[in-house]
Amino acid sequence: MISNFETLSFSVSDDIGTLVINRPDKLNALNIQVLRELKGALTELKTAPLKGLILTGEGEKAFIAGADIAEMKPLETGEALAFSELGQLVTLAFEALPYPTIACVNGFALGGGFEMALSCDFIFASKNAVFGLPEVKLGLIPGFGGTQRLMKIVGERRARELIFSGRNITSDEAKILGIALDIFADKAQLLAEAQNWFKTTSKNSLMAIAKAKFVLGQGMIEERKAFADIFQTEDMIEGTSAFIEKRKAQFKGKIL
Ligand code: COA
């Protein structure tokens, strides 16, 4: 269904796609080739007739151990910006898929790998999963949308603690923090349960799920629109005038 890529493999079962990052000798670290191939694959996946997608990493040891540190090391500012943009585009493309997505995290999900998982709708973790944003330990910061997405999930204070400390968290803590939806014994069970989970959503209206997903991802645009919509309404004029004129506002009680 999707083109052949060197660093990715793809299969479909019962209308659920499984996309695997396939670079196990480097713990599936995200180099430019992987990111470019992911971007290409996601363009194809956006219009694929699927009911769900599983994202996982090849091998038993890692989901994705981060962006490729060796490849990042020599980058100049402009190249680093392009690298971050490419990573962000990939995470945005995961979010923009119209059907539900689950990141199946087995082993390490560090740095860009954690960020990739955060851009899926859910994370299912195996018992041995390890999550973390260790960038500050390398003199770096997260650059694939992780600061923003983590903050939305765990709250600003906890996100600061995790990003400033760069510490690893276990699957148990990830579940407590709302990062992982559920924990499973091993990789085989993890993938089987994710496949099984889609049986529920596959029976629902995929059109409605796609719309709900769109709205959930559009918070900022909706907020901006709603903010702009109420400008120069009677209530807005009354409220701001009353403040300036140092009196109590007399609202009409109408709803837009
Ligand atoms: N970028 C590039 N290469 C990576 C990598 C990364 N993020 N993570 C792992 N690798 C490579 C290693 O260099 C090693 O390659 P080599 O065999 O050619 O030397 C291979 O993957 C296996 O990793 P190794 O470190 O030997 O495994 P380990 O079990 O001793 O340690 C980790 C596993 C995950 C703790 C360790 O690899 C690590 O700390 N990786 C970096 C994590 C990180 O900081 N990610 C955020 C990047 S911004």
Side-chain angles (χ1 to χ4, degrees):
M1 182 183 291
I2 67 165
S3 311
N4 276 332
F5 293 102
E6 251 178 66
T7 64
L8 306 176
S9 56
F10 181 72
S11 59
V12 179
S13 169
D14 292 336
D15 297 323
I16 306 302
T18 299
L19 183 63
V20 183
I21 313 286
N22 197 351
R23 212 185 159 216
D25 55 324
K26 297 287 179 190
L27 304 186
N28 304 317
L30 302 168
N31 62 4
I32 291 175
Q33 186 186 4
V34 178
L35 290 172
R36 285 199 181 129
E37 292 193 351
L38 273 172
K39 190 169 164 243
L42 283 157
T43 305
E44 295 180 40
L45 284 168
K46 191 161 185 190
T47 52
L50 293 174
K51 295 182 174 171
L53 182 79
I54 291 169
L55 172 68
T56 194
E58 184 60 40
E60 291 295 324
K61 201 168 161 185
F63 171 71
I64 301 168
D68 191 302
I69 299 167
E71 238 189 52
M72 279 194 296
K73 187 172 178 286
L75 298 184
E76 298 292 345
T77 307
E79 296 166 318
L81 186 63
F83 188 72
S84 168
E85 260 169 19
L86 180 59
Q88 284 194 0
L89 276 177
V90 170
T91 60
L92 288 167
F94 272 115
E95 278 181 344
L97 289 176
Y99 38 78
T101 56
I102 301 179
C104 283
V105 173
N106 184 65
F108 296 108
L110 300 174
F114 188 12
E115 294 178 286
M116 217 51 79
L118 288 172
S119 69
C120 293
D121 291 317
F122 311 107
I123 294 175
F124 280 12
S126 63
K127 232 178 157 32
N128 75 344
V130 175
F131 299 86
L133 291 176
E135 282 87 348
V136 293
K137 296 183 173 178
L138 296 156
L140 292 165
I141 65 163
F144 296 172
T147 57
Q148 306 307 302
R149 291 192 183 94
L150 185 64
M151 194 161 64
K152 261 169 92 176
I153 295 167
V154 303
E156 193 202 324
R157 297 287 136 175
R158 179 60 71 189
R160 281 175 195 261
E161 185 268 316
L162 292 171
I163 293 166
F164 294 178
S165 69
R167 75 181 171 90
N168 285 344
I169 59 177
T170 61
S171 52
D172 284 335
E173 188 177 359
K175 187 168 178 191
I176 291 166
L177 290 176
I179 291 168
L181 196 68
D182 232 324
I183 305 172
F184 302 97
D186 53 29
K187 189 169 181 187
Q189 205 199 342
L190 175 68
L191 293 173
E193 290 295 340
Q195 183 80 24
N196 201 33
W197 188 87
F198 283 115
K199 284 191 183 141
T200 313
T201 49
S202 295
K203 286 190 212 119
N204 296 337
S205 161
L206 289 175
M207 185 235 9
I209 290 176
K211 271 274 180 261
K213 204 174 151 162
F214 177 76
V215 173
L216 280 160
Q218 297 298 306
M220 299 288 273
I221 294 173
E222 290 304 314
E223 184 184 88
R224 217 160 54 217
K225 268 172 54 192
F227 179 80
D229 279 353
I230 56 172
F231 269 68
Q232 305 316 325
T233 54
E234 276 182 60
D235 273 4
M236 183 267 182
I237 293 170
E238 170 60 11
T240 50
S241 304
F243 174 80
I244 290 162
E245 292 161 16
K246 299 189 187 303
R247 59 178 174 81
K248 271 208 157 65
Q250 301 287 323
F251 292 119
K252 297 260 166 66
K254 272 196 289 183
I255 295 173
L256 264 186

